[in-house]
Amino acid sequence: MEQLTTERNWAGNYSYKAPATVFPHSVQELREAVADAEKIRALGSRHSFNDIADTPGILASLEGLDPAISINEQDMTVTVSGGIRYGTLASELHRRGFALHNLASLPHISVAGAVATATHGSGDRNGNLATAVAGLELVTADGSLLTVHRGDADFAGMVVGLGALGIVTRLTLDIEPSYEVSQSVFENLDWNLVLENFDDVTSAAYSVSLFTDWSGPTIGQAWLKRRTVDAGQPGVESGFFGGKAAAEARHPLPGVPGTSCTQQLGVAGPWSDRLAHFRMEFNPSKGEELQSEYLIPREHAADALHTMRRLSGVVKPLLLVGEIRTVAADNLWLSPNYGRDGIGLHFTWRQDQPAVEAVLPVLEAELAPFAARPHWGKLFEGDAAAVGPLYPRFGDFKALAERLDPAGKFRNSFVDRKVFGS
């Protein structure tokens, strides 16, 4: 089992404090590492923007575990190593005639890490990526293997586990027959029309994303991903709520070429090449950036959007781009969409962490009346006292973590601050 010194996260804004990272080549090696460690955490694709993955002990990367993809056609599930990345999984699933219900913006992220933080794509009827989980295998604090399935006691509390319950080695996900998607981009939508017809806007496609800097009378871009069974379908309409169809591939960030983005211009193709915003073969997004996101109950959408437009002068100086998405409700205890359909207000910030951290308390105070739940893997200010009341099963999750990990082997500074309040 190789052991290396640790490094920074993907964005470069966080340097891991753990003195070393181990790369077990088997689940047995991982079990031994966990059993022997005083403190240990799983390290995924390093795409979190905070210290959620860090530890004063050892980081364990799952990159070396068996990458086999096992499809059960009878149950319509796929079982994979927690370290596999969504882009790799999506490509193989499509090759074999199957699909996932959705993908996040980036295909580069690991399955286990995305699930543990309730990372999501978009779509009124699409739950976050964790909602596809039908089973989990994890190494618990004493090195034992625990396997749980949908319907088991506490399963809904274990899926979005923040890494606090153990190290997830394998996941079983729901799949469906492969399908095609066409993606179209519209520019400069009328803000008033969008606000007046928000439900029509977000239901216009299988997945809809709106990109904005929150200022002015228009929304910069709308990305519509439509499922289709006919690869030769006619081109999309020329207008969309005041916006005009883009004549060439676009990037969410103004002035950045669209070459790294998934196929647009209404050309139908595999779901695996359309549902993410970015191509697997390119470096994702801009790289040197920070991110925050807050999930708002659907019924507060209009008021929350009006609030953000009022705050444009506060956020715009630090903002590369904002994104609005929708996510369906679920029953996962620490999912930001537990018990409620929601909209995601996403912020891609310039990499000026002190300035961003100064803005976050203002932003969170303004969004507090809407019961805004922060994305666990991104930058946010609120501690357990602020976040806990937003989750009806928060206390149950803490009790579950204390039962599975009584000595706090998987706890770290993030979990102590954001969950246990210490």
Side-chain angles (χ1 to χ4, degrees):
M1 180 166 53
E2 301 170 6
Q3 182 165 320
L4 301 174
T5 55
T6 52
E7 53 189 72
R8 297 191 301 172
N9 64 347
W10 167 81
N13 72 300
Y14 185 81
S15 296
Y16 296 101
K17 307 299 189 296
T21 303
V22 296
F23 295 80
H25 299 295
S26 68
V27 172
Q28 182 58 35
E29 284 191 357
L30 176 62
R31 293 176 64 182
E32 293 169 0
V34 171
D36 292 342
E38 182 177 345
K39 289 280 191 179
I40 192 168
R41 294 277 291 183
L43 179 67
S45 48
R46 299 176 175 88
H47 197 259
S48 293
F49 293 81
N50 55 38
D51 58 340
I52 189 172
D54 208 355
T55 175
I58 297 170
L59 287 171
S61 170
L62 305 185
E63 292 178 1
L65 296 187
D66 182 3
I69 295 172
S70 177
I71 294 174
N72 185 323
E73 295 189 29
Q74 181 175 352
D75 293 342
M76 289 299 285
T77 59
V78 62
T79 300
V80 298
S81 164
I84 198 169
R85 298 183 185 231
Y86 270 99
T88 302
L89 173 58
S91 178
E92 179 63 11
L93 281 176
H94 173 68
R95 187 185 72 81
R96 296 169 65 175
F98 299 98
L100 299 171
H101 80 288
N102 212 348
L103 294 172
S105 298
L106 299 177
H108 311 75
I109 56 178
S110 67
V111 173
V115 164
T117 54
T119 296
H120 60 92
S122 189
D124 284 2
R125 293 178 292 176
N126 299 328
N128 65 44
L129 302 185
T131 61
V133 175
L136 287 173
E137 175 189 270
L138 68 161
V139 179
T140 56
D142 63 357
S144 300
L145 271 183
L146 175 63
T147 302
V148 293
H149 302 280
R150 186 183 287 136
D152 291 348
D154 297 330
F155 176 80
M158 299 179 72
V159 179
V160 183
L162 311 184
L165 309 178
I167 296 181
V168 174
T169 53
R170 298 188 73 75
L171 303 97
T172 298
L173 310 175
D174 297 329
I175 57 175
E176 58 188 270
S178 191
Y179 52 89
E180 290 201 325
V181 172
S182 65
Q183 179 172 226
S184 302
V185 174
F186 296 87
E187 301 179 284
N188 300 316
L189 284 70
D190 185 295
W191 252 119
N192 290 330
L193 287 178
V194 170
L195 289 170
E196 292 168 5
N197 302 277
F198 188 71
D199 289 346
D200 292 334
V201 170
T202 63
S203 64
Y206 184 72
S207 169
V208 175
S209 294
L210 305 176
F211 293 98
T212 178
D213 66 5
W214 300 106
S215 69
T218 62
I219 291 175
Q221 297 177 13
W223 290 34
L224 277 62
K225 304 173 192 278
R226 291 184 166 114
R227 288 180 63 151
T228 174
V229 296
D230 181 8
Q233 71 171 15
V236 298
E237 67 273 21
S238 60
F240 184 70
F241 294 95
K244 301 298 182 183
E248 59 183 13
R250 296 301 190 200
H251 191 285
L253 301 181
V256 178
T259 50
S260 64
C261 299
T262 48
Q263 175 71 54
Q264 301 168 19
L265 304 178
V267 179
W271 65 278
S272 53
D273 294 334
R274 301 292 189 279
L275 286 181
H277 290 340
F278 299 97
R279 300 177 190 265
M280 184 68 172
E281 61 268 29
F282 285 86
N283 289 329
S285 193
K286 188 175 175 62
E288 293 186 356
E289 63 188 44
L290 303 173
Q291 293 182 12
S292 301
E293 186 176 31
Y294 301 92
L295 283 299
I296 310 289
R298 181 77 186 221
E299 61 266 28
H300 297 315
D303 289 340
L305 295 177
H306 280 297
T307 295
M308 285 310 311
R309 293 190 72 195
R310 179 171 53 80
L311 292 174
S312 63
V314 175
V315 300
K316 186 177 177 180
L318 290 171
L319 196 64
L320 291 173
V321 73
E323 183 177 7
I324 305 164
R325 290 178 285 180
T326 59
V327 191
D330 60 62
N331 70 339
L332 306 176
W333 295 358
L334 289 194
S335 164
N337 284 93
Y338 176 87
R340 67 192 203 189
D341 293 331
I343 64 166
L345 305 179
H346 185 274
F347 305 86
T348 299
W349 306 105
R350 302 182 187 280
Q351 200 176 70
D352 183 347
Q353 190 147 342
V356 170
E357 289 179 344
V359 165
L360 292 180
V362 177
L363 187 57
E364 291 175 21
E366 292 285 348
L367 295 178
F370 312 123
R373 296 169 178 167
H375 188 300
W376 293 107
K378 304 184 189 297
L379 295 177
F380 65 98
E381 173 71 15
D383 59 9
V387 175
L390 301 172
Y391 290 88
R393 304 297 300 270
F394 202 75
D396 294 329
F397 178 82
K398 291 168 63 175
L400 178 62
E402 289 173 334
R403 175 164 58 83
L404 290 179
D405 183 21
K409 180 174 289 192
F410 301 112
R411 283 174 59 170
N412 63 358
S413 178
F414 178 92
V415 173
D416 285 341
R417 297 192 319 273
K418 306 297 188 180
V419 177
F420 287 93
S422 57

